[in-house]
């Protein structure tokens, strides 16, 4: 069998345990938390996106009175009520929040958004180059030769981000500034696209 661990190894394990946010959970609760986290992460898959947007519509109609009452409480600095009594409702909220965060680049201030949009496209183009090198068909938006930077962002905002965030700020009215950013960013990329069309050349990834 194994001998006794040296003292420094034991303290390392204790330090690791102290940083483990799950360490205090008993086994049934740990399994439940793990199940919730996995379900939430799986719902960041874009295959769930459009169904989620539709479900948010229904969810808001069911809970709109509670949401409005809580918004009044938030504005007065009063503790809000938990209006999501069913575990399915709470799981849905977690799914929505994590997915909204996952596609949130266009709701950030323009300087931050453009930086991340450029990084995402660079990653896409790198994948496209690898697919080409392997003789595979190149995935949508991943061909540097045919993907237009501002057009890709306009489409992403119009068809993916805006429908979700319109519902998101109905559910979380305190986040309404995000839609303000989104509209401003959409206008920015419209201007960049028009500049390209007027000048007959791409404005470049720097835009």
């Amino acid at each position: 069998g194994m001998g006794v661990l040296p003292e420094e190894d034991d303290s390392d394990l204790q330090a690791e345990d102290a940083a483990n946010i799950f360490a205090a959970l008993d086994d049934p609760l740990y399994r439940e938390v793990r199940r919730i986290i996995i379900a939430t992460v799986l719902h960041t898959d874009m295959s769930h996106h459009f169904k989620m947007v539709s479900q948010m519509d229904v969810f808001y109609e069911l809970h709109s009175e509670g949401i409005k009452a809580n918004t009044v409480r938030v504005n007065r600095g009063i503790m809000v009520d938990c209006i999501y009594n069913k575990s399915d409702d709470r799981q849905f909220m977690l799914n929505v929040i994590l997915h909204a965060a996952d596609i949130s680049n266009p709701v950030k201030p323009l300087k931050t958004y453009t930086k991340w949009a450029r990084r995402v496209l660079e990653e896409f183009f790198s994948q496209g180059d690898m697919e080409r090198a392997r003789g595979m068909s190149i995935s949508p938006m991943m061909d540097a030769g045919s993907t237009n930077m501002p057009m890709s962002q306009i489409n992403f905002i119009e068809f993916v981000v805006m429908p979700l965030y319109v519902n998101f700020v109905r559910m979380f009215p305190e986040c309404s500034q995000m839609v303000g950013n989104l509209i401003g960013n959409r206008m920015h990329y419209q201007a960049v696209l028009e500049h390209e069309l007027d000048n007959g050349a791409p404005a470049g990834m720097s835009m």
Side-chain angles (χ1 to χ4, degrees), residues 4 7 31 47 71 81 95 151 164 199:
V4 176
E7 200 173 323
R31 289 174 185 278
S47 65
T71 303
D81 287 344
N95 296 349
M151 200 69 220
L164 185 132
N199 293 280

Side-chain angles (χ1 to χ4, degrees), residues 49-82:
H49 175 82
F50 295 102
K51 183 181 178 186
M52 182 182 284
V53 171
S54 299
Q55 288 173 321
M56 289 168 79
D57 265 328
V58 175
F59 192 89
Y60 177 77
E61 294 308 321
L62 291 173
H63 296 286
S64 57
E65 291 309 312
I67 290 168
K68 287 170 187 168
N70 272 350
T71 303
V72 171
R73 293 186 188 101
V74 167
N75 291 338
R76 291 178 179 167
I78 302 168
M79 184 69 74
V80 299
D81 287 344
C82 180

Side-chain angles (χ1 to χ4, degrees), residues 8-195:
E8 63 267 27
D9 285 353
D10 194 30
S11 65
D12 286 347
L13 287 173
Q14 286 172 352
E16 195 175 300
D17 231 22
N20 179 4
I21 60 170
F22 305 111
L25 306 181
D26 63 22
D27 194 55
L29 187 54
Y30 170 77
R31 289 174 185 278
E32 175 69 0
V33 169
R34 184 175 182 276
R35 183 193 63 74
I36 290 168
I37 291 170
I38 290 170
T40 308
V41 171
L42 289 175
H43 272 85
T44 60
D45 190 308
M46 281 302 298
S47 65
H48 299 289
H49 175 82
F50 295 102
K51 183 181 178 186
M52 182 182 284
V53 171
S54 299
Q55 288 173 321
M56 289 168 79
D57 265 328
V58 175
F59 192 89
Y60 177 77
E61 294 308 321
L62 291 173
H63 296 286
S64 57
E65 291 309 312
I67 290 168
K68 287 170 187 168
N70 272 350
T71 303
V72 171
R73 293 186 188 101
V74 167
N75 291 338
R76 291 178 179 167
I78 302 168
M79 184 69 74
V80 299
D81 287 344
C82 180
I83 56 176
Y84 310 118
N85 298 317
K86 299 177 192 166
S87 61
D88 284 355
D89 285 350
R90 293 194 294 274
Q91 180 67 61
F92 181 67
M93 295 301 289
L94 292 172
N95 296 349
V96 164
I97 290 166
L98 190 60
H99 180 52
D102 203 33
I103 61 168
S104 65
N105 284 340
V107 305
K108 293 171 182 167
L110 180 64
K111 187 177 178 183
T112 306
Y113 169 36
T114 51
K115 187 185 298 182
W116 281 103
R118 192 163 59 249
R119 287 171 176 166
V120 168
L121 280 180
E122 283 168 359
E123 187 179 317
F124 281 4
F125 295 159
S126 176
Q127 180 175 326
D129 290 344
M130 286 190 280
E131 288 172 343
R132 185 184 292 106
R134 287 167 171 75
M136 300 163 64
S137 58
I138 300 174
S139 301
M141 288 181 57
M142 298 194 181
D143 187 345
S146 64
T147 299
N148 177 280
M149 165 75 167
M151 200 69 220
S152 72
Q153 297 311 300
I154 289 168
N155 286 338
F156 185 48
I157 289 171
E158 289 279 335
F159 300 113
V160 177
V161 183
M162 185 67 83
L164 185 132
Y165 268 91
V166 165
N167 280 339
F168 189 82
V169 298
R170 289 166 83 204
M171 293 162 65
F172 302 100
E174 300 77 21
C175 298
S176 58
Q177 176 57 45
M178 291 177 171
V179 169
N181 290 343
L182 190 58
I183 292 167
N185 292 339
R186 166 70 174 78
M187 291 169 69
H188 167 79
Y189 276 110
Q190 183 70 35
V192 173
L193 181 63
E194 288 172 9
H195 177 273

